[in-house]
Amino acid sequence: MSNAVIDKSAVAGDAPRPGLKQPRLPKWTPIGLALISVGLGCGIGVAGDLSSKTQWGLIAALLFVLISFTLTTKVEGSRQAKDKLATSLIWVCFLLAVIPLVSLIWETVDRGRTVLDGYFLGHSMEGVQTILPGGGVYHAIIGTLEQVGIATAIAAPIGLLTAVYLVEYGRGKLAKAVTFFVDVMTGVPSIVAGLFILTFWIIILDFDYSGFAGAMALAILMMPIVVRSTEEMLKLVPNELREASLALGVPKWRTILKVVLPTAIGGIITGVMLAVARIAGESAPIMLLVFGATGINNNPFDGAQSSLPYYVYEQWQLGNDASYNRAWAAALVLIAFVMILNLLARGIARWKAPKSGR
Amino acid sequence: MKTDIEPTSPTEPPALASSRGTGRIGDKVFLGLSRGSGILLLVIMAAIAAFLTVRAVSAISDDHGNFLTTFEWNTSSRPMVFGIAVLVYGTIVSSIIAMLIAVPVAVGIALFISHYAPRRLATPVAYVIDLLAAVPSIVYGLWGALFLVPHLTGLYKWLDDYLGWTKIFEYNDGTPRSLFTVGILLAIMIIPIVTSVSREVFRQVPQMHEEAALALGATRWEVIRMSVLPFGRSGIISASMLGLGRALGETMAVATVLSPNYLINASLLDPGGGTFAQNIASHFKEADGPARDALIASGLVLFVITLLVNGAARLIIARRKEYSGAAA
């Protein structure tokens, strides 16, 4: 520590050496202070007649930070005090952010499970009076699966090949441009992708609303994510493998297909699944291009469909208790779908992690 | 880092080359396919810009207001009068509020996970944050509309009591479906994303830097200030830009919590205002041909804004490429 100036006489002598050790607050100080400030916070809350418990908590937190700061400044010096302040602030940040996020999950699960059952999963909204309970989400699940499936079928090969190009062949201006625009494309808002397909497919080519139109917009959103993640994975493949294969006279394309891609396949699948999870929750392009429907439409190439995220939005818009319940239940189904995909993807990533050459 | 594979030598003996005829063709096909996909991506980007521009031009020429400065959005009357002034204001203000809240908090959480939390807490927290980043925005929207909005009244009254004199935080009773609410919801939405990217960067800070600082007697905060934050700065910026991109283009979450109108309020807490994406979502269903073009025109502006933001982020990161991560 900075003021640990060694006092020569102290080193020589056998008396306690005050210069070597900084005064420290005992270890239980934070807990003690926390208790004191919670007590004070409640006291002030009661005395000041503050109705909101949140305010009590905030006052307590503020008191804790202030007391621990001044106390540490007095005993341990200002540098330590700043350190303590930063620690408290970071804990506060964490707790502050955890509250809404936990509440989000809690509310969805809590309100969603009231309606969620086999009937809800197995029926559509065809002929259901929207202000009454009943109806279900089957048509939306079908829509989501089909649209996301088609989007993946379009985006995954293109994204994969682009990543192969960037890593294995990419030199010069074209590769630079592709890299830059892939990054930029990651930021294209979903509604803009939707508007583009709307202009191109529905206004100019004069097709009707369909699941396929929505899938094309989703594919646009998916491609850059797939390129990015695949690229990272291909870069992890050790160069020795490629060189060994090429040295045996294997042509480059077979090296890529038989050596590079299999080595990275776990990571690539993970990336694709994370991208699927990401686009499965997009509702804006669905609203513009698939239009939403109450009945079951199994054909993604003809006519309006629904999708889970859009179903949530629709039910929210209806604005009555029954529809709110359906919206929460559908949101729960959607979250479960996305979470399962995520967990699976992470499982695959851990299971098939490429052994990097380091 | 690029993997360095030398291209096959141009001076290989002809006898060998002939025996590898199939390889040559395969190579050509494969190179063609993969280069083609790369080019296709560029074509799509160009097409987005081109198609939107064509429709936007036709809409703007029909506009009897000034596209940039008109407040109202009246596309059902003929002639149409519409402008993006309110939308620009609403989009930028709500995104700024979101960034002001989200970035410090997210960096705090990232530091918490990488440097402060006990190991047993850090791993599950990091995992949960990553999962939360995948929660669809419509779920945030539903939660925002049905849970967050009713719970904000107290906060807004409090802000009005103490900061009402600034006019910015003036609050007249009513449901708090305002731009400030949108900002808070967007902040909650992007915190997980910004956190997980920043955490990734903080993890890559060379151990040596931190240990060197500790050896010099630095406290934990000084280590963070002197070695972690400078190393992670470009990473934090790119994470924030990623979050900003989300916030700018967010549609459904905004559409659910905002009650839009076409005025610019001095107060952030009063209901009203609008954003590009929300405006498109709210008007699309009843829009006919020309009205749809007007919405496309506003979509084009949003597209350009996000392009600029992302391009800027790229440039910042490219300047400090050595910190870019993965293959360091």
Side-chain angles (χ1 to χ4, degrees):
Chain A
M1 304 299 129
S2 72
N3 57 350
V5 180
I6 296 170
D7 186 352
K8 284 210 173 114
S9 63
V11 172
D14 48 14
R17 294 173 271 181
L20 265 181
K21 208 162 182 203
Q22 244 182 334
R24 287 277 183 179
L25 288 166
K27 275 211 162 155
W28 47 264
T29 323
I31 300 168
L33 283 181
L35 287 177
I36 294 173
S37 35
V38 167
L40 277 176
C42 292
I44 293 174
V46 172
D49 204 22
L50 300 170
S51 53
S52 161
K53 293 282 189 303
T54 336
Q55 274 175 333
W56 294 24
L58 286 177
I59 291 172
L62 204 66
L63 280 175
F64 174 76
V65 172
L66 280 179
I67 296 175
S68 81
F69 183 70
T70 43
L71 200 63
T72 327
T73 320
K74 280 263 162 59
V75 182
E76 295 183 6
S78 69
R79 287 175 56 230
Q80 301 295 334
K82 259 185 217 158
D83 184 44
K84 284 272 157 59
L85 182 67
T87 310
S88 335
L89 284 182
I90 280 173
W91 272 90
V92 168
C93 262
F94 168 68
L95 294 175
L96 260 187
V98 159
I99 294 166
L101 294 174
V102 166
S103 144
L104 172 90
I105 299 295
W106 174 255
E107 286 290 310
T108 313
V109 174
D110 191 45
R111 299 205 200 178
R113 71 196 159 93
T114 54
V115 205
L116 186 62
D117 52 18
Y119 182 87
F120 185 74
L121 291 176
H123 290 76
S124 75
M125 289 297 291
E126 185 83 69
V128 176
Q129 263 195 302
T130 49
I131 56 163
L132 295 178
V137 79
Y138 179 73
H139 60 305
I141 294 179
I142 294 290
T144 292
L145 289 181
E146 285 179 353
Q147 290 148 24
V148 169
I150 296 174
T152 312
I154 300 173
I158 295 178
L160 200 95
L161 281 170
T162 308
V164 166
Y165 173 70
L166 289 178
V167 176
E168 306 291 334
Y169 296 100
R171 298 281 179 284
K173 275 196 180 135
L174 179 64
K176 275 215 177 97
V178 172
T179 312
F180 180 78
F181 277 102
V182 164
D183 282 332
V184 172
M185 207 170 166
T186 323
V188 170
S190 56
I191 193 130
V192 171
L195 283 177
F196 163 62
I197 298 294
L198 177 81
T199 331
F200 163 72
W201 187 254
I202 293 179
I203 297 183
I204 293 179
L205 293 182
D206 205 23
F207 284 97
D208 209 359
Y209 298 104
S210 69
F212 180 66
M216 284 194 289
L218 294 181
I220 291 181
L221 298 172
M222 194 174 168
M223 276 175 212
I225 314 177
V226 175
V227 176
R228 265 287 147 272
S229 58
T230 310
E231 214 186 330
E232 294 302 329
M233 286 305 131
L234 293 181
K235 283 179 190 168
L236 284 182
V237 174
N239 237 350
E240 289 84 349
L241 290 182
R242 297 189 181 88
E243 283 158 5
S245 169
L246 290 173
L248 290 173
V250 180
K252 188 161 183 174
W253 67 282
R254 284 186 67 86
T255 305
I256 294 171
L257 277 184
K258 298 281 174 182
V259 177
V260 178
L261 287 181
T263 314
I265 193 72
I268 294 172
I269 294 176
T270 305
V272 171
M273 283 173 83
L274 290 178
V276 168
R278 169 103 176 67
I279 59 161
E282 286 295 349
S283 34
I286 307 299
M287 180 174 81
L288 301 187
L289 301 167
V290 192
F291 212 71
T294 53
I296 300 166
N297 175 7
N298 283 325
N299 184 357
F301 296 96
D302 183 33
Q305 276 187 317
S306 190
S307 91
L308 272 175
Y310 186 64
Y311 178 88
V312 175
Y313 180 69
E314 255 179 349
Q315 294 299 324
W316 173 78
Q317 265 190 326
L318 293 172
N320 58 67
D321 282 341
S323 70
Y324 283 163
N325 281 336
R326 281 192 291 264
W328 284 112
L332 183 55
V333 174
L334 183 58
I335 287 191
F337 178 64
V338 169
M339 292 289 156
I340 289 169
L341 269 178
N342 260 281
L343 291 175
L344 276 180
R346 275 154 218 275
I348 291 177
R350 191 165 297 176
W351 176 45
K352 285 214 147 189
K355 290 159 194 67
S356 68
R358 286 175 291 169
Chain B
M1 301 294 118
K2 283 273 179 248
T3 47
D4 280 311
I5 298 174
E6 290 303 316
T8 39
S9 159
T11 55
E12 60 191 329
L16 258 180
S18 63
S19 71
R20 299 206 317 208
T22 54
R24 283 272 166 94
I25 293 170
D27 264 344
K28 266 190 190 144
V29 170
F30 202 75
L31 175 61
L33 273 178
S34 60
R35 185 186 279 161
S37 311
I39 294 173
L40 181 66
L41 278 180
L42 296 183
V43 170
I44 291 176
M45 283 302 283
I48 294 178
F51 279 95
L52 293 186
T53 310
V54 168
R55 305 308 297 182
V57 165
S58 94
I60 292 172
S61 62
D62 283 349
D63 185 4
H64 278 242
N66 184 317
F67 183 63
L68 293 178
T69 57
T70 305
F71 278 25
E72 37 177 334
W73 191 272
N74 196 346
T75 48
S76 50
S77 68
R78 294 289 176 277
M80 300 194 291
V81 180
F82 62 91
I84 55 170
V86 172
L87 307 180
V88 173
Y89 173 80
T91 307
I92 290 176
V93 165
S94 59
S95 302
I96 289 177
I97 296 171
M99 299 307 284
L100 286 180
I101 300 173
V103 172
V105 173
V107 171
I109 304 175
L111 285 175
F112 177 80
I113 294 171
S114 65
H115 287 82
Y116 282 89
R119 180 62 60 82
R120 252 184 311 163
L121 190 60
T123 324
V125 168
Y127 207 72
V128 169
I129 295 275
D130 278 358
L131 285 184
L132 280 168
V135 170
S137 62
I138 182 69
V139 180
Y140 281 98
L142 185 70
W143 175 80
L146 297 181
F147 183 87
L148 182 67
V149 166
H151 284 80
L152 278 178
T153 327
L155 172 69
Y156 283 12
K157 285 216 175 91
W158 184 83
L159 279 174
D160 182 44
D161 283 349
Y162 294 95
L163 294 168
W165 53 271
T166 56
K167 297 289 175 206
I168 298 172
F169 291 110
E170 200 176 304
Y171 174 62
N172 308 309
D173 290 323
T175 13
R177 303 175 142 274
S178 60
L179 284 179
F180 197 72
T181 312
V182 172
I184 293 176
L185 183 64
L186 290 177
I188 294 171
M189 237 181 80
I190 62 180
I191 280 175
I193 303 158
V194 181
T195 303
S196 57
V197 179
S198 322
R199 180 177 63 91
E200 214 38 55
V201 179
F202 292 156
R203 261 193 5 195
Q204 285 162 7
V205 176
Q207 197 82 39
M208 291 294 204
H209 290 197
E210 288 177 43
E211 281 165 5
L214 281 173
L216 289 173
T219 62
R220 186 153 55 173
W221 170 240
E222 283 161 348
V223 170
I224 287 171
R225 223 191 47 208
M226 294 188 305
S227 71
V228 178
L229 290 183
F231 182 88
R233 186 169 299 138
S234 66
I236 295 174
I237 293 173
S238 69
S240 314
M241 290 294 178
L242 199 67
L244 180 59
R246 287 274 174 92
L248 286 172
E250 181 45 46
T251 312
M252 291 318 203
V254 180
T256 50
V257 296
L258 186 70
S259 67
N261 66 19
Y262 294 96
L263 297 169
I264 292 179
N265 281 331
S267 164
L268 294 175
L269 305 186
D270 276 336
T275 73
F276 281 107
Q278 167 271 325
N279 186 54
I280 296 170
S282 321
H283 284 280
F284 181 75
K285 282 272 157 126
E286 75 261 23
D288 54 357
R292 230 163 31 178
D293 287 349
L295 294 176
I296 290 171
S298 73
L300 179 66
V301 179
L302 176 62
F303 179 61
V304 172
I305 294 176
T306 48
L307 278 195
L308 292 180
V309 167
N310 279 298
R314 281 300 118 201
L315 289 182
I316 294 171
I317 295 159
R319 265 213 334 240
R320 305 178 60 131
K321 193 78 186 216
E322 67 268 36
Y323 295 149
S324 72

